[in-house]
Amino acid sequence: CVHDTHLLPYPPPTAMASTSAEESTSPNGAEHTSGKSLQELLDEAAELAASGAHDESLDVLQEAMVTATTTHGEMHLECAPVYFQYGRMLLESAKASVQDLFSRLLMSRMQPDSDGEDEGPALTEMLHKTVGEVVQTESRDLSKFIGTAGAKDGEEQEGGATSSSSMAGGGETEEEQEASRMIEADMDEQGQDAYDTFALSWDWMDTARLIYTNYIEDNVSEDVAPLDEPVDKDELRRELANVHECLGEHALETDKVDTAILEYERCLAVRKATHAATDRILGETHFYTGLAYQIAQQPEKALAHYQEARAIIEAHVEGVKKRLAECTPAHADTKETLSAEVVELQLVMEELSGRVRGNPPNTH
């Protein structure tokens, strides 16, 4: 289940009444006394996240939130990276919870049916798919896979994947049926936790998006404390693109494909203005935009983005190979890094070539 203390240390800033920096406190009264600077906390949280310690990263980010909001106020630019990182960590937490829920759900269905046939092989194959792919295969509504999330109290879940009929097979003893009901209830609770965490993740990242946009467009409220030094708007645009990319990922994970397309297109538009034409990150953005269009069953647009991605990655690989050829024996570490990048990108190009071949325009 999702760690309860990691569900929002306080309401999203956009939903709060305006408060002064002195009035901003942690709602649960928790004290944060490490004495570290905001940047030190962000760096520590990033290191923990990179090592897979997501719970610990969320703890540190909670402290960073208190530090940022009490020092600068809730909608200050210094808060944006904290909100963004926190939203990303919540997204990872929700994804892990849903993946675990899918695994438990599918394992519960890997029992011989009433005719003695075993569904196991097909379901085992499904376990190797991403959460988004399973959602696409099984249902257009994520809430049906995560308990009764979003349903009103007492409202019957129609077609729910964790219904007692699917959890309990025929011929079970009373004890086995009770165990199945307990498992079902536990999975419903886990699903509700994931549903809530997805929503909170979006709120935090969307608030970061709003802050970056306000500073880029010179639309900052007079109530927000001024910056200590002029802002680099190109850097803010790059950060904004990162937020749009993660919002697109969030939308795909929750089966909101139209929203995913919108966020990836926004990300792409910003990155075209802030990155070189052969930058790897631009190719990756085209890839994910194409993936969103493919899921939306718009093959012509998907194909166009896959082709753009392949062309950019190919050009980037040529640049890396050129740098590799210029390496001297004294640059052994650099040479090793560049060689590994070439191998990695060649695999990416193979993937893109396969998608291009497998996604011809729909001429009908």
Side-chain angles (χ1 to χ4, degrees), residues 343-361:
V343 172
E344 178 187 357
L345 291 177
Q346 285 174 338
L347 294 174
V348 171
M349 284 192 295
E350 290 178 10
E351 165 74 8
L352 287 167
S353 296
R355 287 186 176 271
V356 168
R357 289 192 301 269
N359 288 277

Side-chain angles (χ1 to χ4, degrees), residues 63 114 224 263 337:
E63 180 178 350
S114 56
V224 176
E263 294 297 337
T337 300

Side-chain angles (χ1 to χ4, degrees), residues 110-133:
M110 288 184 187
Q111 304 294 334
D113 59 23
S114 56
D115 296 326
E117 297 180 359
D118 190 356
E119 294 182 273
L123 294 173
T124 300
E125 181 180 352
M126 290 176 63
L127 286 173
H128 295 286
K129 298 181 179 180
T130 64
V131 170
E133 287 174 326

Side-chain angles (χ1 to χ4, degrees), residues 292-308:
Y293 276 116
Q294 181 181 353
I295 294 173
Q297 300 183 13
Q298 299 185 47
E300 295 90 346
K301 292 182 178 180
L303 177 59
H305 282 286
Y306 287 146
Q307 290 173 329
E308 285 281 352

Side-chain angles (χ1 to χ4, degrees), residues 147-329:
T148 56
K152 297 179 181 178
D153 291 341
E155 183 178 14
E156 183 176 356
Q157 182 185 7
E158 296 180 1
T162 59
S163 65
S164 58
S165 60
S166 64
M167 294 290 298
E172 287 187 335
T173 66
E174 184 175 343
E175 290 79 6
E176 289 171 335
Q177 290 177 6
E178 178 61 24
S180 294
R181 284 191 290 269
M182 292 178 64
I183 293 172
E184 180 184 355
D186 180 55
M187 291 172 67
D188 282 347
E189 181 180 359
Q190 181 179 354
Q192 184 66 56
D193 283 345
Y195 186 93
D196 292 342
T197 307
F198 271 122
L200 295 174
S201 168
W202 180 277
D203 285 344
W204 285 115
M205 292 193 291
D206 195 48
T207 302
R209 176 201 59 76
L210 176 61
I211 294 174
Y212 284 128
T213 301
N214 285 345
Y215 277 88
I216 291 170
E217 297 178 353
D218 296 321
N219 191 32
V220 180
S221 170
E222 294 180 357
D223 296 333
V224 176
L227 297 171
D228 294 334
E229 56 187 39
V231 63
D232 181 349
K233 290 194 175 181
D234 280 343
E235 180 61 28
L236 294 188
R237 291 185 181 96
R238 284 189 283 270
E239 294 297 333
L240 177 62
N242 293 338
V243 176
H244 282 307
E245 182 178 48
C246 281
L247 287 173
E249 178 187 355
H250 185 294
L252 279 186
E253 290 290 343
T254 52
D255 202 29
K256 298 178 175 66
V257 184
D258 290 342
T259 300
I261 289 173
L262 178 62
E263 294 297 337
Y264 281 127
E265 288 284 14
R266 287 171 173 170
C267 175
L268 189 58
V270 174
R271 284 179 173 167
K272 283 181 177 180
T274 57
H275 290 75
T278 59
D279 195 311
R280 172 178 177 173
I281 197 171
L282 196 57
E284 292 172 349
T285 308
H286 272 291
F287 171 81
Y288 287 111
T289 307
L291 178 62
Y293 276 116
Q294 181 181 353
I295 294 173
Q297 300 183 13
Q298 299 185 47
E300 295 90 346
K301 292 182 178 180
L303 177 59
H305 282 286
Y306 287 146
Q307 290 173 329
E308 285 281 352
R310 184 173 63 178
I312 291 170
I313 295 298
E314 285 177 346
H316 183 75
V317 168
E318 291 305 312
V320 174
K321 287 181 176 178
K322 183 177 179 181
R323 291 168 56 197
L324 188 58
E326 295 171 352
C327 285
T328 65

